[in-house]
Amino acid sequence: MNTPLSRTFAQTFLGNAPGWYKLVIVGFLVANPILMLTAGPFVAGWALIAEFIFTLAMALKCYPLPAGGLLAIEAVAMGLTSAETVYHEAMNNFEVILLLIFMVAGIYFMKDFLQFTFTRILVKVKSKKLISLMFCFAGAFLSAFLDALTVTAVIMAVAYGFYNLYHRFVSGKGYAESHDLSSDEAIKEKNREDLQQFRGFLRNLMMHGAVGTALGGVCTLVGEPQNLLVGGEMGWHFIPFFLHAVPVTMPVLAIGLLTCLAVEQLGICGYGFQLPGNIRSFLLESAVEMENKAGSKGKLKLVMQALVAVWLIAALAFHLAAVGLIGLSVIILLTAFTGVTEEHQLGHAFEEALPFTALLVVFFAIVAVIHSQGLFAPIIGYVLSLHGQDQLAAYYLANGILSSISDNVFVATVYISETKLHFVHVLDAIQGIGMSGQELMAKLTDAHIARADVLATLPKDVAMHVKETMDHFDKLAVAINTGTNIPSVATPNGQAAFLFLLTSTLAPVIRLSYGRMVILALPYTITMSLTGLAAVYAFL
């Protein structure tokens, strides 16, 4: 008997997402035009934001691109914004799109070197506190120059590889045999306790590493996608971005590393698991065996990847080209010198980044609605009506709370663009600037023109007023950047690296659920968020 077409459509629509989720999305799509006609575009626009945040919060049920994309298409169709405005938003952030496409793919070809580094830490260091600190610091350092998603992927690959080897060993299965890593049925009772300890140990390391990517990611222009968005709007290159953010990022980094030691010492919130000695011996033997198998070709690959890593750090530090183009140079150098010459080998490198790149363009469609309808104007108007340090703290908190429940790239995009628009109006109101506020802002935030040179063209008293205005804008930009990066470790929704870990093949085998991840992140959330708030208030 043939299945009715309507049922087939219902099953196919949004694929394996739960039935209730599909009904909610259909409800949104039906309700939006009604809201537009009855309550007006302002209310319909706010409803759209709430719906889009819902798709982000439910990312584990369904990747946000299909459902969020349908909402974005409907918004354009209803006239809440235009396709031209969406295109303009995407073009304004083209450097971020290049970063996601080429930098993430470039680091994919550096995985051998990164895996070698983390494997050495895992099997050579015996102290759990030291190994945790090294994972956290290595995640932070690498994420400051590379990409948090890729660094997380590397840490996960190391953990998954070793877990796979040990689980097969104690299950009596060969490496080539089919095997379910999440099932313990074939494991003898005497090995189960060790396996539980090993799972807990890996959960701890994965969280330390993932939090490390957030600690390092907030520090630099390329650490997180929203950093490049904020830096692009402000006209900051790699080193200026780092220096502006230092008063907040360094105290948070220090407290984050101390928190790593503290949770392992105290054994709270699911930390404190130790690696059993017999498993350590097994992993060390496996690591030596893998290194021997790699031979001279494997060693040459590691050397080439290490040299390209040095080039990458130098190119970023001296801003030798746009970040995405530096990523493209990494792809070219590593594929040429490590013998990756077939198209299908190259294709795998881009699989990780392109879905998120597409989702980012959907973000820009929602941002276009916010701009077109002036949706955030009342909120930002209220925050900007505050003065001095209270205003900076309010910005940090608003961005932090929103980033924890939705997505930090989305929140940063909205806040930095709306705040910049506000300061364009502030500049417009200054007498004697000799041009429009928009033109002056474009010059002041042009990465290729020194701000002091622009100010030198203005009358002295006007220049002083403009400088004070822009100095305050700089501080708000740092508050936005740190607010979206630091408190967002609270949930997997806020940090892409956390979400990536939670939806990976590793999470179920080491028993890492959404709730367990939130609990493991809790000590970091409290200490890092409060430190960030205090630093924003005291040091900016």
Side-chain angles (χ1 to χ4, degrees):
M1 186 176 174
N2 290 333
T3 307
L5 193 60
S6 58
R7 181 175 293 179
T8 304
F9 177 78
Q11 289 170 348
T12 307
F13 178 68
L14 295 180
N16 295 323
W20 64 264
Y21 179 89
K22 297 179 183 184
L23 288 173
V24 168
I25 297 300
V26 170
F28 289 162
L29 294 170
V30 171
N32 287 339
I34 298 171
L35 273 175
M36 178 83 168
L37 293 171
T38 56
F42 190 83
V43 174
W46 268 107
L48 181 77
I49 292 174
E51 292 159 6
F52 190 71
I53 288 175
F54 170 82
T55 67
L56 296 174
M58 293 292 112
L60 297 180
K61 305 294 182 187
C62 175
Y63 192 69
L65 179 62
L70 286 174
L71 293 170
I73 290 169
E74 185 182 55
V76 174
M78 290 193 307
L80 286 173
T81 189
S82 66
E84 290 77 15
T85 309
V86 177
Y87 178 76
H88 178 69
E89 288 292 337
M91 285 305 295
N92 278 351
N93 295 288
F94 183 62
E95 196 171 356
V96 181
I97 294 171
L98 277 182
L99 163 76
L100 285 171
I101 295 172
F102 292 131
M103 186 62 86
V104 176
I107 305 311
Y108 174 88
F109 294 108
M110 215 182 278
K111 277 186 176 178
D112 292 337
F113 172 66
L114 298 173
Q115 283 184 354
F116 173 79
T117 304
F118 281 106
T119 300
R120 279 298 172 101
I121 294 172
L122 188 58
V123 298
K124 296 286 187 183
V125 181
K126 291 185 178 179
S127 164
K128 173 68 186 302
K129 282 184 282 189
L130 183 56
I131 200 173
S132 299
L133 188 65
M134 290 177 76
F135 257 68
C136 193
F137 181 78
F141 180 78
L142 290 170
S143 293
F145 295 101
L146 310 179
D147 167 76
L149 277 180
T150 308
V151 175
T152 306
V154 169
I155 300 171
M156 281 162 34
V158 172
Y160 189 84
F162 280 132
Y163 183 86
N164 183 25
L165 281 173
Y166 181 73
H167 200 276
R168 284 175 180 277
F169 175 70
V170 292
S171 301
K173 298 282 185 181
Y175 196 75
E177 293 179 68
S178 176
H179 181 54
D180 181 8
L181 289 178
S182 59
S183 172
D184 294 347
E185 287 179 12
I187 294 173
K188 294 174 184 175
E189 197 63 41
K190 64 176 184 178
N191 292 319
R192 292 197 176 195
E193 181 62 32
D194 283 347
L195 185 63
Q196 295 304 327
Q197 278 287 324
F198 190 33
R199 280 183 177 137
F201 177 81
L202 290 177
R203 281 197 302 271
N204 291 174
L205 289 192
M206 290 307 98
M207 285 304 295
H208 291 315
V211 170
T213 66
L215 285 169
V218 67
C219 295
T220 67
L221 186 66
V222 295
E224 295 279 356
Q226 69 269 24
N227 297 13
L228 202 58
L229 285 165
V230 173
E233 292 287 358
M234 301 305 297
W236 294 339
H237 287 319
F238 191 87
I239 291 174
F241 183 100
F242 176 79
L243 294 175
H244 274 103
V246 151
V248 182
T249 56
M250 288 303 108
V252 170
L253 175 62
I255 293 299
L257 294 174
L258 287 173
T259 303
C260 174
L261 289 174
V263 293
E264 288 298 339
Q265 178 67 36
L266 300 172
I268 57 173
C269 295
Y271 288 102
F273 284 92
Q274 298 293 326
L275 179 63
N278 61 324
I279 298 182
R280 182 185 300 282
S281 302
F282 173 78
L283 296 183
L284 183 56
E285 288 170 16
S286 301
V288 170
E289 190 180 330
M290 283 190 284
E291 281 183 34
N292 291 337
K293 273 185 184 176
S296 58
K297 189 176 180 181
K299 288 176 183 174
L300 178 64
K301 266 190 175 183
L302 290 176
V303 171
M304 289 310 306
Q305 290 176 13
L307 290 172
V308 173
V310 173
W311 149 252
L312 172 64
I313 292 169
L316 289 171
F318 295 105
H319 197 75
L320 300 181
V323 177
L325 295 182
I326 294 170
L328 180 57
S329 75
V330 169
I331 295 174
I332 294 166
L333 291 170
L334 287 177
T335 52
F337 290 106
T338 60
V340 180
T341 55
E342 295 177 25
E343 187 178 3
H344 74 273
Q345 290 177 297
L346 284 161
H348 292 304
F350 294 91
E351 289 173 1
E352 210 170 84
L354 287 181
F356 189 71
T357 307
L359 181 60
L360 191 68
V361 177
V362 174
F363 287 166
F364 297 146
I366 305 301
V367 172
V369 172
I370 291 167
H371 281 178
S372 299
Q373 302 302 326
L375 300 181
F376 274 29
I379 298 172
I380 292 178
Y382 168 72
V383 177
L384 287 168
S385 71
L386 300 172
H387 298 288
Q389 302 310 103
D390 290 343
Q391 186 186 72
L392 292 173
Y395 251 70
Y396 175 87
L397 288 171
N399 280 275
I401 292 165
L402 284 172
S403 294
S404 296
I405 59 171
S406 61
D407 182 272
N408 48 16
V409 179
F410 172 62
V411 175
T413 303
V414 170
Y415 260 85
I416 191 64
S417 52
E418 287 293 321
T419 304
K420 189 171 186 178
L421 193 60
H422 167 83
F423 275 91
V424 165
H425 297 320
V426 171
L427 292 176
D428 257 329
I430 298 174
Q431 298 294 320
I433 61 173
M435 63 190 88
S436 69
Q438 182 71 52
E439 289 170 323
L440 181 57
M441 179 62 80
K443 289 182 179 181
L444 290 166
T445 55
D446 188 331
H448 304 291
I449 304 173
R451 189 178 290 179
D453 293 343
V454 178
L455 293 173
T457 64
L458 301 173
K460 191 173 181 181
D461 55 334
V462 174
M464 286 292 292
H465 192 174
V466 170
K467 185 179 183 302
E468 287 172 11
T469 302
M470 292 305 294
D471 285 347
H472 189 59
F473 184 25
D474 289 343
K475 292 177 181 178
L476 287 176
V478 174
I480 291 168
N481 181 64
T482 51
T484 52
N485 272 296
I486 297 165
S488 58
V489 299
T491 68
N493 306 331
Q495 283 282 342
F498 282 31
L499 193 61
F500 187 49
L501 172 58
L502 188 63
T503 54
S504 69
T505 51
L506 176 68
V509 300
I510 62 171
R511 310 296 191 259
L512 183 62
S513 64
Y514 187 100
R516 187 170 257 168
M517 186 177 268
V518 170
I519 291 168
L520 286 164
L522 184 62
Y524 283 110
T525 304
I526 294 169
T527 57
M528 288 162 55
S529 299
L530 291 177
T531 303
L533 179 61
V536 164
Y537 200 90
F539 302 141
L540 284 186

